[in-house]
Amino acid sequence: MRSFYRRPKIVFVFVFLVLFVVWLFVTIIEFSFGLTVTTDDLIATGKTLRNGRQLKAFITSSYYYPTSESLGDNAIALVMSINLVSNPVLKLAHFFSPDSSELVIMAKNATSSVIMKASYVRVTPHEACQIITVFATAQLIPNVTNISMLGDNGVAEIPFTSPSYTKRDVVVCTSPLYVSEQWQNFLLAVHIYRKFGAHMNLYLISSVTSFYELMKEYEREGYMTVQPWVNVDFPGVPKTTADPYNQIEFRNQAASQTDCLLQFKESARFVTFLDLDDVLIPKIAPTYAEEFQRIMDGKKKLAYIFYHKENYDAVVARNSSRFSLRKMFGSLECKHKRETGKIVVDPRNLNYTWIHYPPDLPNGFEKYEVTENVITHLKTIVWTDEQNESGEAPIEPLYFDNSTAKIIASKDILNIEKDLRRMIRKPRIRKIFSKLPNMHYYTDLVVNCYNDRYYQYHYSGRIANIKCPGPQLCEFVQHPKIKCTHVTATHTPMETLYPITYYYATNAHFTGDIGCYAH
Ligand SMILES: *[C@@H]1O[C@H](CO)[C@@H](O)[C@H](O)[C@H]1NC(C)=O
Ligand SMILES: *[C@@H]1O[C@H](CO)[C@@H](O)[C@H](O)[C@H]1NC(C)=O
Ligand SMILES: *[C@@H]1O[C@H](CO)[C@@H](O)[C@H](O)[C@H]1NC(C)=O
Ligand SMILES: *[C@@H]1O[C@H](CO)[C@@H](O)[C@H](O)[C@H]1NC(C)=O
Ligand SMILES: *[C@@H]1O[C@H](CO)[C@@H](O)[C@H](O)[C@H]1NC(C)=O
Ligand SMILES: *[C@@H]1O[C@H](CO)[C@@H](O)[C@H](O)[C@H]1NC(C)=O
Ligand SMILES: CC(=O)N[C@H]1CO[C@H](CO)[C@@H](O)[C@@H]1O
């Protein structure tokens, strides 16, 4: 010690170092638990520490089923995005007890009330993103009027809706579209689904405005439904606790698919989950329902059947007045490259699903890999001025297997083209048609961004370099001439509840005031 007294500089450095280490330690602890110094947090620090950190859950779906074959009557099904995965840089949180996985739900009807516990299950099978999708269900009481979530220090009432009870054979759930310009692609998909007996339920974040208007007309005509897909947000919560802009996988696609499954659980015989550029055309039967039924018949209880995707190139007219589906079919060229496919389910046999398939098989169920048909994946779509007229007969695009099999027969192509003409003749649609974009801009930004920042790591196996493909992965420099219609909603700050604070959006609708963005 004496030598220290004789060397004031060393003492100074030593004291400084000690202070620095203490500061560093406190910062790491704070950061890992997402503590920010508000009085609210200080009061509740004990509880926060017990649970590792504050949990924030955004409710994306909340369906109350007066009757349900698979969930039981008076059931509630919840889908939530929750910050369950701790920041990987700061592993400290793992030393604490695991997070409570129990929800406490209170339901009231006109005459009584009930409190139920329900545990939630993970839908997202990996930990690349900190905010993951979870599912929970519980049976409540008849004629529920109010549902609340209970915490240790309070109650939060949450909204709920009824699922669809309109009987349908097949529902195609189209994953969330954003900054979309691919109207040709949409027309191909929506007419094919109509022709072979499916209803399209399309999740929409943003698209160029004329394309949005086109979709709304197809909705009016009963071909499809446009479902606004709102962003997850936790107003007032620091990003170190829950960062919905960077830490949710692909604009919450797994939650949108599970929402669709739950929405049509009681009403559809089959539900399938496809991107807009995936086109499934029945091959072994004249309709989707018959094909799915034939594939499932005689097998064990199936949670899902899995169709592979085969990549195709397509050429389309950029000028909407020259566009035809017949020519688009004729241009399809197989690339002989397979990509991860998608599933078709009997919604009674599955309660939740991730992007490609569910994270696990429910007890007593099996899956089947379809060999009878594949999904036609429009990997590249070239917009051209010149498109060769094919002669009298339409060109039937080839099935991927190098046999003489075709994806679709000429008579079906002609029927589909006729239906497109019928729609274009409608005055409202004709007006929109002339405004559809004849150039693509955002499409290129999306493709380049995902290749640079995601797929090059994904496909080269450099998994360690993969960052969460969050909603803000790509920047979209706005184009002065291209206007988008974008979803918006009201997000309200919430009182902190322990162990979980619940958030939700209300008043979802579309607006032209935001611009072309992905969240
Ligand atoms: C409320 O729920 C109870 C069951 O807990 C049920 O007996 C009663 O009929 C329900 N009230 C109404 C108005 O449906
Ligand atoms: C029940 O919900 C309605 C809105 O649906 C609300 O106006 C009312 O205050 C709620 N009642 C209770 C007791 O929470
Ligand atoms: C699109 O085609 C129509 C008819 O062929 C033509 O009159 C129009 O000028 C074309 N528009 C553009 C932008 O090329
Ligand atoms: C779906 O949830 C209900 C209610 O918890 C359960 O009884 C049923 O087995 C689940 N279905 C599947 C396929 O896991
Ligand atoms: C049109 O046909 C010609 C000759 O058959 C061919 O060289 C050209 O590539 C075709 N153009 C398109 C856009 O398919
Ligand atoms: C079909 O032929 C292409 C080459 O023309 C080849 O790359 C591909 O593997 C073949 N596919 C099958 C299923 O035989
Ligand atoms: C009072 C009331 O709304 N009763 C309804 C409760 O729910 C059952 C079905 O679960 C209806 O049949 C009742 O009419």
Side-chain angles (χ1 to χ4, degrees), residues 321-475:
S321 70
R322 301 207 180 130
F323 176 74
S324 97
L325 286 172
R326 169 192 164 133
K327 281 190 258 178
M328 188 170 177
F329 276 118
S331 76
L332 290 178
E333 193 187 321
C334 184
K335 303 314 283 179
H336 299 289
K337 180 146 180 20
R338 186 164 272 203
E339 285 190 17
T340 313
K342 295 281 188 171
I343 63 173
V344 177
V345 308
D346 173 339
R348 278 151 290 272
N349 296 352
L350 200 67
N351 289 339
Y352 50 88
T353 181
W354 181 60
I355 294 176
H356 292 289
Y357 32 73
D360 42 39
L361 270 176
N363 262 344
F365 286 90
E366 302 203 343
K367 62 182 176 186
Y368 173 73
E369 206 179 304
V370 175
T371 52
E372 292 87 341
N373 192 3
V374 295
I375 294 167
T376 300
H377 178 214
L378 307 186
K379 181 73 176 175
T380 317
I381 301 177
V382 179
W383 297 29
T384 61
D385 294 313
E386 280 308 308
Q387 234 188 336
N388 292 339
E389 271 304 328
S390 50
E392 279 293 296
I395 298 171
E396 297 176 325
L398 292 169
Y399 191 59
F400 81 100
D401 66 355
N402 297 337
S403 69
T404 55
K406 308 292 182 341
I407 294 177
I408 184 168
S410 342
K411 77 167 182 4
D412 293 330
I413 296 178
L414 290 174
N415 260 318
I416 287 173
E417 178 68 25
K418 204 167 138 201
D419 195 37
L420 171 71
R421 295 292 139 204
R422 187 183 66 84
M423 290 296 271
I424 300 177
R425 275 197 302 275
K426 293 179 187 288
R428 300 166 64 108
I429 295 185
R430 190 178 331 156
K431 230 167 109 193
I432 295 166
F433 237 69
S434 62
K435 295 188 292 179
L436 289 169
N438 59 10
M439 57 174 276
H440 46 82
Y441 168 75
Y442 291 102
T443 308
D444 308 27
L445 297 185
V446 170
V447 169
N448 294 338
C449 165
Y450 273 94
N451 284 341
D452 285 359
R453 303 200 184 175
Y454 185 73
Y455 288 114
Q456 70 153 322
Y457 302 118
H458 183 79
Y459 286 119
S460 62
R462 280 139 75 197
I463 303 294
N465 292 339
I466 291 188
K467 279 204 317 185
C468 173
Q472 270 195 344
L473 186 71
C474 302
E475 277 173 89

Side-chain angles (χ1 to χ4, degrees), residues 156-195:
E157 180 154 3
I158 61 164
F160 59 93
T161 53
S162 266
S164 162
Y165 283 96
T166 308
K167 289 287 171 213
R168 295 187 197 280
D169 271 344
V170 178
V171 172
V172 174
C173 307
T174 307
S175 2
L177 287 193
Y178 59 105
V179 301
S180 185
E181 299 164 319
Q182 308 269 17
W183 55 269
Q184 298 98 333
N185 209 335
F186 164 77
L187 289 170
L188 183 78
V190 78
H191 280 281
I192 289 176
Y193 298 152
R194 171 70 155 213
K195 163 83 185 143

Side-chain angles (χ1 to χ4, degrees), residues 64 66-67 73-74 109-110 141-144:
Y64 173 70
T67 60
D73 291 348
N74 310 312
N109 66 15
I141 48 179
N143 310 95
V144 159

Side-chain angles (χ1 to χ4, degrees), residues 259-309:
D259 177 86
C260 197
L261 171 59
L262 294 170
Q263 187 177 158
F264 298 101
K265 207 171 204 314
E266 300 306 312
S267 57
R269 279 175 68 199
F270 302 101
V271 177
T272 179
F273 310 94
L274 299 172
D275 294 338
L276 188 62
D277 56 9
D278 296 331
V279 197
L280 181 56
I281 303 173
K283 183 160 186 288
I284 61 165
T287 65
Y288 291 112
E290 286 168 76
E291 169 157 323
F292 301 154
Q293 192 62 60
R294 199 180 294 178
I295 290 173
M296 289 181 186
D297 272 349
K299 302 201 170 65
K300 298 235 175 68
K301 278 203 302 184
L302 292 173
Y304 62 89
I305 59 176
F306 180 83
Y307 278 80
H308 291 285
K309 276 191 200 184

Side-chain angles (χ1 to χ4, degrees), residues 170-233:
V170 178
V171 172
V172 174
C173 307
T174 307
S175 2
L177 287 193
Y178 59 105
V179 301
S180 185
E181 299 164 319
Q182 308 269 17
W183 55 269
Q184 298 98 333
N185 209 335
F186 164 77
L187 289 170
L188 183 78
V190 78
H191 280 281
I192 289 176
Y193 298 152
R194 171 70 155 213
K195 163 83 185 143
F196 298 108
H199 180 82
M200 183 188 213
N201 190 68
L202 182 144
Y203 288 78
L204 183 63
I205 298 170
S206 63
S207 75
V208 294
T209 295
S210 52
F211 178 19
Y212 167 78
E213 289 167 352
L214 180 69
M215 288 190 268
K216 292 303 278 185
E217 285 306 313
Y218 271 79
E219 184 176 49
R220 269 169 53 98
E221 298 288 338
Y223 279 63
M224 61 154 331
T225 312
V226 177
Q227 183 165 343
W229 189 236
V230 304
N231 63 318
V232 173
D233 199 9

